[in-house]
Amino acid sequence: MAKPELEDLRLFLIVVDHGSIATAARVDGIPKPSLSRRMANLEAAVGEKLFDRGANRLSLTPRGDELNTRLRPAMQSVVQALSELDDWHSDYAGHLTMHVPASLLQMGVRQTISAFLEAHPNTQFDLALNNQPIQRLDTDTHLALVIGGLPDSDLIAARVGQTRRILVASPEYLETHSEIAHPDQLHDHIVISPGPHVPLTLRHEDGKNWIQSFEPQFAIDDARDVTNEAIAGRGVAISTTIATTEELEKGGLVQLLQDWQEQPLPISILYRDNRLQSRLERDFIKVLRAELNRTLSDHR
């Protein structure tokens, strides 16, 4: 029989505290299906049911109640020991590797890393610009910033803001090309996007939907380059609010079809459970979350 994993035991206590898989998942930042799977694995390892699953609230079976009684003081001792171990170190040492979409680099990430390095010179950062969807963290990767949908995994996702895809073009381009008053008219223009296949779901303010998988004539992986091509007057760009805010304010770009909107895309920090992190990881993530919550507040 497999032995219970420490992380499953920790999550068990959180579920007990909140009486609900859904609430515990939301509090801990873990996807609900992942938490349900972990509780099923724990019951399999124990060899007995731990929960009676009622309509409104989970209750403990006798075996679950016994596990809760024995486990809780032991887990508190582990947490205290880890905390004391961290306190033995007067400063951080080590390195962090993180993946960041290029469009977010100037939204607080670069500034946070620079300030952290100045305060803690024994740390190192490896920053990988990655515009592709993240499905998991490699062994050597500590955290990632993600725009849009999140993988169904045991990773924790801390939401720090949001953005929205929008259509933009330069004033010069619009002066010499036909009007765009409806999404169907995009087919008459050169469309630039961050990827070869772009599903667009636009909702009009009167409730009508326009849904189409778009095949742009010009696909570039980097959202910044997409925006730059639009600024240069080379076509209509499918970009985001965070990548275009400055140029929209300066007049270098014009937002099109403003009465047609997509749903917001969440921006999240993706990382492993706190119990698997070093003190350096935990504290840097805390600092990064605070900075991104501040810099991305205008895009909520």
Side-chain angles (χ1 to χ4, degrees):
M1 181 182 297
K3 293 183 178 180
E5 294 187 9
L6 179 61
E7 174 62 5
D8 292 347
L9 294 171
R10 184 188 72 83
L11 291 170
F12 167 77
L13 294 178
I14 295 177
V15 173
V16 172
D17 288 341
H18 295 281
S20 162
I21 293 284
T23 303
R26 185 168 60 252
V27 169
D28 199 65
I30 183 174
K32 180 182 174 183
S34 299
L35 182 54
S36 296
R37 185 169 59 250
R38 280 189 170 275
M39 291 302 96
N41 291 342
L42 179 58
E43 288 182 323
V46 172
E48 295 184 42
K49 286 183 60 178
L50 300 175
F51 299 102
D52 284 325
R53 292 164 171 80
N56 298 318
R57 184 177 178 87
L58 293 178
S59 60
L60 291 173
T61 64
R63 185 71 169 114
D65 186 59
E66 179 185 359
L67 179 61
N68 178 52
T69 301
R70 291 175 176 270
L71 177 62
R72 194 167 293 274
M75 187 63 73
Q76 290 172 348
S77 296
V78 171
V79 172
Q80 179 64 28
L82 291 174
S83 176
E84 291 174 356
L85 183 62
D86 278 344
D87 291 340
W88 291 348
H89 302 281
S90 59
D91 196 11
Y92 308 103
H95 83 280
L96 291 179
T97 299
M98 61 185 297
H99 287 219
V100 181
S103 58
L104 291 178
L105 192 59
Q106 300 298 334
M107 300 301 295
V109 177
R110 189 192 299 273
Q111 299 90 323
T112 302
I113 292 176
S114 296
F116 202 89
L117 285 172
E118 185 174 351
H120 308 287
N122 292 326
T123 58
Q124 295 176 316
F125 284 84
D126 294 329
L127 194 62
L129 298 183
N130 186 352
N131 295 301
Q132 299 304 314
I134 297 290
Q135 297 301 321
R136 62 185 181 86
L137 294 183
D138 296 333
T139 304
D140 297 330
T141 302
H142 300 93
L143 65 150
L145 281 175
V146 180
I147 299 176
L150 298 169
D152 179 14
S153 71
D154 294 334
L155 298 173
I156 294 174
R159 182 165 176 167
V160 292
Q162 68 181 31
T163 187
R164 190 190 301 270
R165 289 198 302 183
I166 58 175
L167 295 156
V168 296
S170 70
E172 293 77 14
Y173 178 87
L174 296 175
E175 287 177 1
T176 57
H177 292 77
S178 60
E179 180 186 13
I180 304 175
H182 188 277
D184 286 340
Q185 294 171 315
L186 290 171
H187 296 289
D188 300 327
H189 293 263
I190 297 173
V191 176
I192 310 164
S193 81
H197 304 288
V198 182
L200 278 180
T201 302
L202 301 176
R203 184 176 181 84
H204 193 266
E205 56 189 18
D206 65 6
K208 296 178 182 178
N209 289 328
W210 185 87
I211 303 173
Q212 186 166 340
S213 182
F214 217 86
E215 297 288 341
Q217 291 92 330
F218 193 177
I220 314 175
D221 183 51
D222 192 331
R224 296 175 304 175
D225 290 336
V226 170
T227 302
N228 289 336
E229 290 298 311
I231 294 170
R234 297 193 175 96
V236 175
I238 302 174
S239 190
T240 63
T241 54
I242 59 173
T244 57
T245 296
E246 183 178 350
E247 286 299 324
L248 288 171
E249 292 175 350
K250 289 165 43 178
L253 289 173
V254 176
Q255 182 178 348
L256 309 174
L257 299 174
Q258 295 191 42
D259 49 352
W260 293 84
Q261 298 285 336
E262 271 207 320
Q263 289 296 313
L265 298 171
I267 302 173
S268 307
I269 305 175
L270 206 60
Y271 55 93
R272 296 181 180 87
D273 181 82
N274 292 345
R275 307 298 178 196
L276 305 177
Q277 294 174 346
S278 66
R279 174 172 167 244
L280 169 61
E281 290 175 71
R282 290 197 303 273
D283 287 357
F284 176 73
I285 289 171
K286 185 185 300 183
V287 172
L288 182 62
R289 285 184 67 174
E291 178 63 15
L292 291 180
N293 273 310
R294 184 186 68 82
T295 59
L296 296 174
S297 60
D298 291 340
H299 299 276
R300 294 186 185 281

